Amino acid sequence: MPPDLERATERTHLFHKGGISRRPSAIQHDGDSHSIRSSHVSKAEQALSGTAVGERLPYNDYTTIDWLHDLVKDSFRYRAIHDRTGIRNALYSAFDSAQGWIASAVIGLLTACVAFMVDIAEATVSDWKIGYCSTSIFANREKCCTSKQPLGAVENLGDDCRSWHTWSTDYTGAFAIYVGFALAFGVISSSITMLTKSTLPTTASKQDDVSKGGEQGIAGKKIYLAAGSGIPEIKTILSGFVIPHFLDFKVLAVKAVGAVFAVATGMCLGKEGPFVHISTCVAYLVGCSFPKYRANGRKMRELLSAGCSAGLSVAFGAPIGGVLFSYEEISTYFPRKVLWRAFLCSLVAAMTLRALNPTGTGKLVLFETNYGTSYQPVHYVIFVILGIAGGLFGGVFCKANFLWSKSFRQIPLIKNNPVFEVFLVVLATALLQYPNPITREPGDIIIKNLLVDCRSSKDSWVCQQEASKDSSGYVGWLIYGTIVKLVLTIITFGCKVPSGVIIPALDAGAFFGRLIGQWVTTISPGIFAMVGAAAFLAGVSRMTISLCVIMFELTGELEYIVPHMIAILVAKWVADALEREGVYDLAQTVLGHPFLDLDHALSITQQDSQLVEVLIPPKQTMEEITVDVPRDGLVSRVVLDRKLDMLKRRGLMDAGLVLIQDGMLQGYLAEGELDFGLHTIGQAWETTARIRLLGHADGDDKDLSMFVDRTPLTICATAPMEYAVEMFGKLGLRYLIVLEEGSSKMVGVIIKKRLVVWLEHMKH
């Protein structure tokens, strides 16, 4: 079998690449059919040929994976490998068991290497807006003025900056050059991102209205795969949906290069979110090298969940926080073995990045602080105030950004010209941020400057202003910075460039915390900036435990865990009161991805008593997708061709045919497998042929029974809606058959996308 046909991947097309098919044994009598089928069937699927669960083709674009089927398939694969005897087989079994650990370590290593290159490039390109280094054009300002070098330890932190030259000593000239470079970087980043433009198929039927029980949704939308943070899409993928090409190497490369120029513009965005996307791309590419993961959607998602942790680990130098972030914010399915492998992946990423030393400090901690003082119980009130402010900021940001995406970005000029939108945002950002000496710097430098403790460092501009007798102008800049960060982050998040919201939220919180610290002189104002940063990010993202750990790994301040916990929890409560969903959940709504969040889904169903019967498709739909199979198990090809055409017109890709015999449910035949059987295996079958769907095939039968799932899960039509939500959410179902109460007659079928669209309709 050709190797390229054996490798079924996340993005495998149904008819062009091989991978997962169904039961081969039933058609071995026909040489031509057997040859065609063999070129599309993996060995892992052949093991299922004698079972009632049937076989599967590779998952098509934007379909739902079958978690239960993949679980059974992996069990067959496991037994086939580990039941063998002999030294050679024992060694192979050991290697099979170790593949997850090996893959996790490789993912961490490669992610750190990509992060190192992005960090070095971004720091250099960003400083080109201000000036250049005469000794090396590729050195940023910090490395030009000190002995900080990557791949080595710090030798001397002198203040000699004779090698660094600004473009202009005149304020107006420097301002103009700054704006010019920012605009150029923005156009470059957005133009590169345009290379990943793609079109996704419909997520729901184009025919019916959801309020009438139909499946109306978003049809054929454009998506730029490298734009944004990628976190909403990754959450969708990990929940069981397939987004084509989203984790390709091309997207990884564009994301990395685009993030360098996007951050260099000075826009209110960060590279930390894109790092999560990059690490997940690395995890996918590494996983494709192992057949165990390549041919199994469930196993691949275990590896992707582990890979996500490496992204935050290298972004913040927070290996433990990265693991918790993957568990709390990203993953839908996170068993203990995934936790352990995420721990290893994050560890290797942190170790590698520390050895590469992109910051030149030789440390993982990005914003190391040492305030030397502790807080008093009276300061708890201040931490609560910071939490309230963070919740207000997060709630306002989420609502305003959602409205901005639904209004301004729907203007035809903006919607059809995303590069122009980026140009306008960069222009507004440069004009508003350059006058403020603090916001003029990149986002991570802003945090570092605002967290400074002026009792140990008096050389920074912040400390000089706080030491002056008249600090009213400085207080004004802090207020200005807080407001500008809020406004600019609202209009920036969602632009078609690689971007994250973590750093801008931290910046705004640090501004506000430092501002509060001007009136609380008993401890360093940097402490309030640190806690305020955590509170504002909690309000935006609704992260809690992972954020608290990230903050003490980010600053090295273990002493202030309790203030962080107070501010984060209060911020989440306040933000939830204003807007139930966080920024990533709202982004999924804007993007239209079919993501099933079990917690949110249950909260929606609890608000109104509904039964499963409301999800039953209209009568016409049920007639189109139901096949009454005769007792001999044979159905005319004409009937199947007509049914397939009806399914294709609905455009759902996850739909299928329900097989009924003598009024009883017998099985389910998915659209993809039906299409493959009729037009690939059965391409030589005559139009008048009768095709076997049920029963055992005879020698001359045209057989597609191997594609039928004879174990579909069912639910009573009068069952509470919570039953269906729990079954889809916890069992990972693709479809659920609805039976009539009392008679057990089949009355409907629910696919996962239909449930998601109904929940979205109920929410709004």
Side-chain angles (χ1 to χ4, degrees), residues 195-237:
L195 299 176
T196 60
K197 180 181 178 181
S198 181
T199 302
L200 294 180
T202 181
T203 60
S205 174
K206 309 167 188 176
Q207 301 175 0
D208 308 315
D209 184 82
V210 70
S211 63
K212 300 177 182 178
E215 301 166 345
Q216 185 178 4
I218 299 173
K221 56 182 177 292
K222 292 188 297 184
I223 181 175
Y224 298 92
L225 301 176
S229 66
I231 291 177
E233 291 86 351
I234 293 170
K235 292 179 68 174
T236 302
I237 291 173

Side-chain angles (χ1 to χ4, degrees), residues 475-522:
V475 170
W477 285 128
L478 292 177
I479 297 173
Y480 178 85
T482 304
I483 297 174
V484 164
K485 281 294 179 182
L486 172 60
V487 174
L488 291 179
T489 306
I490 288 171
I491 67 174
T492 302
F493 187 71
C495 284
K496 301 303 182 286
V497 292
S499 60
V501 75
I502 296 177
I503 285 294
L506 292 175
D507 284 345
F511 267 109
F512 185 79
R514 195 87 192 188
L515 176 65
I516 295 297
Q518 302 307 302
W519 291 283
V520 183
T521 58
T522 52

